[in-house]
Amino acid sequence: MQKTKVTISILLVVVTGAAAIGDTPSVAYPSSYRNWQHVKSMIIEPSHSLADPFEGIHHVYGNAKAMQGLAAGQYKRGAVFVFDLLAIEEVDATVAEADRKRIDVMEYDAERFAETGGWGFVTFVGDSTTERLEQDVVTACYACHVAAKPSAYVFSKYRK
Amino acid sequence: MQKTKVTISILLVVVTGAAAIGDTPSVAYPSSYRNWQHVKSMIIEPSHSLADPFEGIHHVYGNAKAMQGLAAGQYKRGAVFVFDLLAIEEVDATVAEADRKRIDVMEYDAERFAETGGWGFVTFVGDSTTERLEQDVVTACYACHVAAKPSAYVFSKYRK
């Protein structure tokens, strides 16, 4: 009986610890996103107000639930978009893709990410699948996406 | 018996007609290509030697067999790449996608397209799924792709 009590106490500590870390719910690295549907692309030039940090060419990819949501105008749990940002280089009258700068991921879960419109945000640095950019996602991501609230906080529009 | 002969004769005429059209083996419209894997993108600027007709932003998509071939360096029947060309417009220090200009399709079949390196070529105009650009694909497509013969006539390189 004594032993059982101790075990329960240890478990409680572990669970409490996890809850504390869970104050910022995490978004996983989207391992297969390069196989997802390509939604659209855009180049942000050096003189753009968001050039720091978004200068370069970005491609937006969506998983199946994200594409369904984009068509419906509302999202279900598990919808994920990736904003894949590459540096660009001008070569012989072309603008070509260069190194990956970062990927920004937004994942929908109305419960887990209730404080930021139902979307969780994370940035992975360069090609890393593990190195997350340390940032306050409320100011770094959500504050800007609020402008797209009428389209469920998603800037991309569906294009054929 | 008389009637059967007549029917066979008509069938022969129809088959012969199809064979004549078949002198230029046709490549079908790739109806689901926007769901295929996005391989890479590039902008061709007005001063580029290929600006007519390729000025704009192009995205290359590959079906599953094309992606396998890109990794292997050789292709199997049914591999298809699409070069999806959109006009671009500069808006507020961004370069954004505008209307689709054309899609260029290359499909691999070593037998049907033996005369052009195993690849069949076709161009569909704008968003049309039926309007094919009238062109001599040997000079308009193959003559340029010959430069990529070491990579099985494919210009795109795999990028992560």
Side-chain angles (χ1 to χ4, degrees):
Chain A
M1 196 62 180
Q2 187 79 19
K3 193 177 175 186
T4 307
K5 268 189 184 168
V6 171
T7 307
I8 290 173
S9 299
I10 291 172
L11 276 173
L12 280 175
V13 169
V14 171
V15 169
T16 309
I21 293 169
D23 284 346
T24 305
S26 71
V27 174
Y29 182 84
S31 56
S32 60
Y33 81 91
R34 282 287 287 116
N35 301 324
W36 295 354
Q37 179 152 357
H38 171 226
V39 179
K40 59 165 282 188
S41 300
M42 179 182 273
I43 287 178
I44 289 182
E45 298 181 329
S47 60
H48 193 282
S49 60
L50 296 175
D52 179 12
F54 297 124
E55 181 185 344
I57 187 168
H58 64 257
H59 306 299
V60 177
Y61 300 94
N63 67 2
K65 286 184 178 175
M67 296 311 296
Q68 289 161 9
L70 199 57
Q74 55 184 11
Y75 293 85
K76 292 184 177 170
R77 186 158 62 96
V80 182
F81 286 105
V82 173
F83 175 102
D84 187 8
L85 179 64
L86 309 175
I88 52 178
E89 52 189 8
E90 296 216 29
V91 184
D92 299 335
T94 70
V95 179
E97 297 166 335
D99 290 344
R100 177 164 288 112
K101 298 174 77 175
R102 58 194 274 163
I103 67 167
D104 295 285
V105 185
M106 57 191 286
E107 174 184 349
Y108 192 79
D109 186 326
E111 289 181 20
R112 286 173 64 211
F113 306 117
E115 290 180 13
T116 45
W119 291 98
F121 299 91
V122 68
T123 301
F124 291 91
V125 179
D127 290 315
S128 178
T129 61
T130 55
E131 187 186 347
R132 294 158 182 261
L133 189 69
E134 286 190 30
Q135 59 187 342
D136 175 0
V137 296
V138 173
T139 53
C141 310
Y142 179 65
C144 190
H145 277 266
V146 162
K149 191 174 179 182
S151 51
Y153 303 97
V154 173
F155 284 109
S156 293
K157 305 298 177 197
Y158 182 78
R159 73 157 173 82
K160 60 192 170 198
Chain B
M1 194 61 180
Q2 186 78 21
K3 192 178 176 186
T4 308
K5 269 191 185 168
V6 171
T7 308
I8 289 173
S9 300
I10 291 172
L11 275 173
L12 281 174
V13 170
V14 172
V15 169
T16 310
I21 294 170
D23 285 347
T24 305
S26 71
V27 174
Y29 182 83
S31 56
S32 60
Y33 82 90
R34 281 287 286 116
N35 301 323
W36 294 354
Q37 179 152 357
H38 170 228
V39 180
K40 57 166 281 188
S41 300
M42 180 182 272
I43 287 178
I44 289 182
E45 298 180 330
S47 60
H48 193 282
S49 60
L50 296 175
D52 179 10
F54 297 125
E55 181 185 343
I57 187 167
H58 64 257
H59 306 299
V60 177
Y61 300 94
N63 67 3
K65 286 183 178 174
M67 296 311 296
Q68 289 161 10
L70 199 59
Q74 53 185 12
Y75 294 85
K76 293 184 177 170
R77 185 157 62 95
V80 182
F81 286 105
V82 172
F83 175 103
D84 188 8
L85 180 64
L86 309 174
I88 52 178
E89 52 189 9
E90 296 215 30
V91 185
D92 300 336
T94 70
V95 179
E97 297 166 335
D99 289 345
R100 177 165 287 114
K101 298 173 78 174
R102 58 194 275 162
I103 67 168
D104 295 286
V105 185
M106 56 191 285
E107 174 184 347
Y108 193 79
D109 187 326
E111 289 180 19
R112 287 174 64 211
F113 307 116
E115 290 180 14
T116 45
W119 291 98
F121 299 90
V122 68
T123 302
F124 291 91
V125 179
D127 291 315
S128 178
T129 61
T130 55
E131 187 186 346
R132 293 158 183 262
L133 190 68
E134 286 191 29
Q135 59 187 343
D136 175 1
V137 297
V138 173
T139 52
C141 310
Y142 178 65
C144 190
H145 277 267
V146 161
K149 191 174 178 181
S151 50
Y153 304 96
V154 173
F155 284 109
S156 292
K157 305 296 178 199
Y158 182 78
R159 72 157 174 80
K160 59 194 170 197

